[in-house]
Amino acid sequence: EDQVTQSPEALRLQEGESSSLNCSYTVSGLRGLFWYRQDPGKGPEFLFTLYSAGEEKEKERLKATLTKKESFLHITAPKPEDSATYLCAVQEGTSYGKLTFGQGTILTVHP
Amino acid sequence: NAGVTQTPKFRILKIGQSMTLQCTQDMNHNYMYWYRQDPGMGLKLIYYSVGAGITDKGEVPNGYNVSRSTTEDFPLRLELAAPSQTSVYFCASSYSTAPGDYIYFGEGSWLTVV
C-alpha cells in the first residue's frame, strides 16, 4: 500500500527565513511525485512533478528535490503570500493517474 | 476555459437524504476523479473514470455512486447521507496518466450532514 507522510504538520516562518518541507513516501514503482499548493477554501494548485531520484525543479522561491525515499520542498526567503498548505502526492506505476496524498504541511509566513 | 467546475459550493444535508454533486470540465480530459478531504487528512480517492462509460472504485467508495455518460461530466451521488460523509469534495481531471500530465482540481464542494 502506497504511503505518504509529510512533516512538519505546521511551520511558522518569518519573512525571509528559508526552510524545507519534507515528504516521505513508500510506493511500488514511482511514476511521479507531485507537489500542490492549497489556499484556504480552494482546490489544490499544481506546483511540480518529479519523476526520478536526483531530479530538481524550481519555481520562483520554491525548489523541489527527490530521492528514492523522500522529497523536499525548499522555500527560499519566503514572503507572506507563500502562506498556504503544501500537499505532496505520489502516483504509482499502474494506478491510472490516481494520487496518494500526504496530510499536508500548513505554512504560515509572518511579515 | 473554465477548467473543472463543481456545484454546489456549499450544502447542508439531513441524515438519510440523498444528493448529487455536479462536476464538469471543458478541457476534453479523459480521466476524471472524485476526492474527499477531511481536516488534517490527505485527499482520499472515492471514484475515478478513465473515459465515458467507464468508472471504478477508489480508496473510499462506500456510500457513493458515480456515472460518466459524457466526457465532460462526472457527477457524484450520495445515497442515504451519514455524518461520516461531512467533508470537502474535490473533482479533478487529467488528459492522460502519462508522466508530465498533472491533475487539475476544482474549487471544492463543502458538505455537512446533520
Side-chain angles (χ1 to χ4, degrees), chain B residues 25-44:
Chain B
Q25 52 91 9
D26 62 359
M27 298 174 282
N28 199 32
H29 283 173
N30 295 315
Y31 294 79
M32 295 189 74
Y33 316 84
W34 275 105
Y35 285 86
R36 62 176 285 173
Q37 185 177 35
D38 299 314
M41 305 288 287
L43 282 79
K44 302 287 187 184

Side-chain angles (χ1 to χ4, degrees), chain A residues 5-8 12-13 27 29 37 40-42 48 50 58 60 67 83 86 88 96 98-99 109:
Chain A
T5 303
Q6 293 185 245
S7 61
R12 293 176 178 268
L13 299 174
V27 63
R37 169 189 171 129
K42 300 290 186 181
F48 303 107
L50 301 168
E58 290 188 65
E60 297 181 355
T67 72
S83 297
Y86 290 86
C88 172
Y96 292 101
K98 294 178 291 182
L99 299 180
V109 182

Side-chain angles (χ1 to χ4, degrees), chain B:
Chain B
N1 287 347
V4 180
T5 303
Q6 297 180 229
T7 56
K9 182 81 170 180
F10 300 98
R11 181 74 186 266
I12 298 175
L13 273 183
K14 293 185 178 180
I15 295 172
Q17 287 185 322
S18 299
M19 74 160 296
T20 299
L21 298 177
Q22 302 291 343
C23 175
T24 188
Q25 52 91 9
D26 62 359
M27 298 174 282
N28 199 32
H29 283 173
N30 295 315
Y31 294 79
M32 295 189 74
Y33 316 84
W34 275 105
Y35 285 86
R36 62 176 285 173
Q37 185 177 35
D38 299 314
M41 305 288 287
L43 282 79
K44 302 287 187 184
L45 182 66
I46 305 171
Y47 270 95
Y48 67 99
S49 170
V50 302
I54 306 170
T55 63
D56 205 349
K57 296 177 181 179
E59 188 178 356
V60 289
N62 292 344
Y64 307 95
N65 279 300
V66 294
S67 60
R68 182 97 180 270
S69 57
T70 67
T71 299
E72 294 79 20
D73 300 308
F74 190 41
L76 177 71
R77 177 94 177 149
L78 280 73
E79 304 283 0
L80 298 175
S84 61
Q85 292 179 302
T86 294
S87 188
V88 184
Y89 292 85
F90 290 99
C91 181
S93 72
S94 62
Y95 182 72
S96 73
T97 61
D101 196 13
Y102 53 86
I103 296 176
Y104 296 80
F105 285 84
E107 296 278 273
S109 295
W110 272 252
L111 176 67
T112 302
V113 181
V114 296

